[in-house]
Structures are given as C-alpha cells and as structure tokens.
Amino acid sequence: MINQLQDYNPSGVGEINGNLLGLPCDYDSANLIVFAVPWEVTVSYGAGTANGPQRILDASVQLDLFDFDHPDGWKQGIFLVEIPQEIIEKNNYYRDLAAQIIERLAQGKLLTDTPDLTPVLTEINQASQQVNQWLFTQCQVAMNQGKQVAVIGGDHSSPLGYFQALSAKYPNFGILHIDAHADLRDAYEGFEFSHASIMFNGLKLPQISKLVQVGLRDISHDEVQMIDESHGRIVAYYDPMIKQKLYGGTNWIELSREIVNHLPEYVHISFDVDGLDPKLCPNTGTPVPGGLELEQVFCLFRELVNSGRKIIGFDVCEVGDGEWDGNVGARVVYKLANLMDLSHKQ
C-alpha cells in the first residue's frame, strides 16, 4: 500500500484495511509507527487485555478524523504493524503457566512445594524478556529511520522494551504516567516483568529522570515509601488528593500546569486506561472506583503541549476485551498521536 494520503478524503467512510483508522499508508510512508504487544501473562485479576490492540483496531475505523487540537493530524500518516500472532500464541501458553503460580501464592503456599514451580517462573521471566527484546529492536529500527513510535498493550508490562529504546536515543526524559496503580512493585508475585512492576523496571534506566504519576488510588505501603524516598524523582498526584483539591475550588487547568511543570523537556506518556473512571474501561484488567474523566486527561496533555515540551512517545495499555473499551482506547490512541505530532510542530 503506497501513501495515498494526498488524495484521501478524511470525511469518507473508514475502510477496513488492517490499519488504524483505515488510513491508506504503510510502514515506509507513515510518520508514526504503532506496535501492538498482545501480552498479559502476569495479570493477577481480570484477563482480556491481550485482545486490546485488536479491539482498538476494530473500533478505530468508526472514528471521525477531525481533531479539535490538530485537525490535520491524520496527514502525518499512522501505521499499525500487523498484530504479531506469535506473541499472542506465546501469551496464551505462558498465561496458563503463570496462573498456576498466582494460584499457589494465593493459597499461601511456596513455589518450591510439590510440584516445584520455580522452573516455571524462570521460564516465564525469560519469555517476558524475549518480548521486551523484540520490542526494543522493532522500536529502535523504526526510530533510526526517523519515525515516531507508539505502543499498544496488552498489560502494562508491555512497553518496557520501548522505554529501553527511548533511553538509547534520549539521554534525559520524563514519563507522565496515568494509572490507578503506581506499578512500583519489585517483581510482583515473583514475575520480574509483572504488569505491576513496569515503573519499578523503568526507573532502572537512568535516562528516565522524572516519573510523574496521576490518578493513583490503589497502592501499597512499599510503593508510597518508594515515592516518598525518591528525592523528587517520582512525583505522585493521588486521585483522592486531586478530588479534594477540585472539590475545594482548585482549577483543573492550574493543577494540570503544576503537574506539567515537574516534567523535563522530553516526555513519554504512559497511559494505563484504569487511570480513568471504570465506566470508560469496564473490562480493564484491574478496575478501581474513582479515577479521571477522558477529557480531563486530554486537558492535561494539552497543557503539556502548550508548555512547549515535546512528546517523544506514548503507550496505551490495559484496554479490555470489549467493544466499548476498544472505542475509548482508539480515541486515546488517536488523540495522543495527534498531540505528539503537534508538540513537534510548535
């Protein structure tokens, strides 16, 4: 498929052509390359997010392309690399093995009890590392060609290889993290690359100078301690505190600007949809009451762009296996694609 965007009618019917939004472009002609990582091996509550990329793809062709922030954003060319069937098959295999470990731990038993599950845990950690390496390589190849890159998970462990690729290119960047959870657990349930450990693992990269987390409301004592003892490297905006300030009359625009001011010039946005009110993402892996409205988060992202900072990448994770979830997820992906493009044009 050659780039046919110059002749494309953005008001026409979305074509089901295997690409996001039905846009008529391919890897070579697109500016933004999107990688799907259908991986949720370590999910500890609800499953289904491995189907999130497909749900987003299916819903995306129903979206109208006019974007209030960047009406011509679609012209950049957006291409979703084919969802890798091999990773789906590996996910299904290792997900069943991981469930045995999770069940054993939930029963208060040791992995070394009979049958010994420690070799299974080692195998799962190695398989997760292979997915990370695959994504790192794919992202680096695209970025070396001058492409922008984005990732759609799977669970929130999905973008680690992408963080590593960004770290190879940018000596200093921050992460703006939308989530109900801090994801700062060290090898949660023994899984080195757990969905609950993505930011713990990300912070091993010294290039990530700042982590600003927004919407947190389901968090462990150890994670709060890690935030408090990070000497400002991690800044948390807890959902109850956000609500208390808004109820007291604080302006969300002002609060958004305060949040943005913690971030360096280059910013990656890591968006776990369970940071939103669960009415928007009912089938996400670990839903939590409370959370943010979609337009509220978009307002925050606009303030990020308005500040002159550059969005160098984004990931959207934990989109559930439901039609409505895919609808919301597709809108998040398209908005971030447009705001990232806009941030580099200003």
Side-chain angles (χ1 to χ4, degrees):
M1 188 195 308
I2 61 170
N3 186 358
Q4 301 168 340
L5 288 175
Q6 64 270 22
D7 302 319
Y8 187 67
N9 176 12
S11 299
V13 176
E15 182 182 337
I16 301 175
N17 60 5
N19 192 24
L20 280 171
L21 307 156
L23 289 175
C25 48
D26 58 12
Y27 188 104
D28 291 333
S29 61
N31 175 62
L32 174 61
I33 306 299
V34 183
F35 295 104
V37 187
W39 189 257
E40 58 167 0
V41 167
T42 66
V43 293
S44 45
Y45 188 61
T49 61
N51 293 326
Q54 186 65 52
R55 287 293 191 171
I56 287 174
L57 173 60
D58 292 344
S60 69
V61 295
Q62 301 297 327
L63 268 60
D64 277 316
L65 296 183
F66 185 90
D67 183 274
F68 287 96
D69 296 297
H70 191 14
D72 289 338
W74 60 274
K75 291 182 179 179
Q76 67 182 292
I78 301 168
F79 180 71
L80 173 68
V81 176
E82 185 176 358
I83 299 171
Q85 190 63 36
E86 180 184 354
I87 290 182
I88 293 176
E89 292 169 0
K90 285 179 69 171
N91 173 75
N92 294 340
Y93 173 75
Y94 286 108
R95 175 82 193 103
D96 289 340
L97 294 180
Q100 299 174 28
I101 291 173
I102 293 167
E103 184 179 2
R104 175 78 63 86
L105 294 174
Q107 293 170 347
K109 298 177 182 177
L110 299 174
L111 293 188
T112 50
D113 291 352
T114 306
D116 186 357
L117 292 178
T118 49
V120 176
L121 178 61
T122 299
E123 188 180 351
I124 291 169
N125 285 336
Q126 288 173 343
S128 298
Q129 176 58 39
Q130 289 168 2
V131 172
N132 294 337
Q133 183 60 44
W134 168 82
L135 183 61
F136 170 80
T137 302
Q138 297 296 318
C139 291
Q140 197 162 53
V141 166
M143 288 193 287
N144 286 344
Q145 294 180 29
K147 308 284 190 185
Q148 300 289 348
V149 169
V151 164
I152 302 173
D155 72 29
H156 211 164
S157 70
S158 301
L160 184 59
Y162 181 21
F163 291 178
Q164 293 164 341
L166 287 170
S167 297
K169 179 174 181 180
Y170 296 95
N172 170 33
F173 67 99
I175 294 180
L176 176 56
H177 176 204
I178 308 298
D179 207 320
H181 311 90
D183 293 344
L184 291 169
R185 293 176 180 268
D186 182 1
Y188 184 57
E189 297 178 322
F191 302 116
E192 182 181 356
F193 303 106
S194 167
H195 66 104
S197 304
I198 179 63
M199 295 306 163
F200 181 89
N201 290 327
L203 288 173
K204 294 177 183 177
L205 301 166
Q207 294 89 341
I208 299 176
S209 60
K210 202 82 168 188
L211 172 62
V212 179
Q213 305 183 289
V214 183
L216 309 185
R217 54 194 188 278
D218 193 18
I219 192 167
S220 70
H221 285 81
D222 286 348
E223 289 173 305
V224 172
Q225 183 178 351
M226 184 175 178
I227 293 167
D228 290 345
E229 296 177 357
S230 72
H231 305 290
R233 189 182 181 198
I234 311 172
V235 179
Y237 281 82
Y238 300 107
D239 192 57
M241 285 65 173
I242 289 174
K243 298 287 174 37
Q244 196 74 10
K245 285 188 174 184
L246 295 179
Y247 299 153
T250 299
N251 184 303
W252 176 244
I253 293 273
E254 293 172 6
L255 191 53
S256 294
R257 289 171 182 165
E258 179 188 314
I259 293 168
V260 166
N261 281 338
H262 290 289
L263 290 159
E265 179 183 2
Y266 296 115
V267 180
H268 172 91
I269 294 175
S270 191
F271 197 146
D272 182 329
V273 296
D274 71 28
L276 299 170
D277 185 309
K279 70 180 180 233
L280 295 165
C281 50
N283 295 296
T284 191
T286 316
V288 185
L292 302 160
E293 292 295 336
L294 189 61
E295 199 54 52
Q296 194 176 11
V297 180
F298 289 170
C299 175
L300 172 61
F301 296 162
R302 285 186 196 102
E303 290 307 313
L304 178 69
V305 174
N306 291 341
S307 74
R309 289 166 173 81
K310 300 283 187 290
I311 301 173
I312 59 170
F314 68 88
D315 64 84
V316 178
C317 296
E318 304 282 355
V319 172
D321 189 12
E323 187 175 350
W324 174 245
D325 302 70
N327 183 325
V328 173
R331 294 172 192 281
V332 171
V333 169
Y334 187 47
K335 177 60 73 176
L336 283 169
N338 287 333
L339 289 177
M340 179 159 70
D341 188 56
L342 190 62
S343 76
H344 289 273
K345 284 182 159 57
Q346 298 199 147

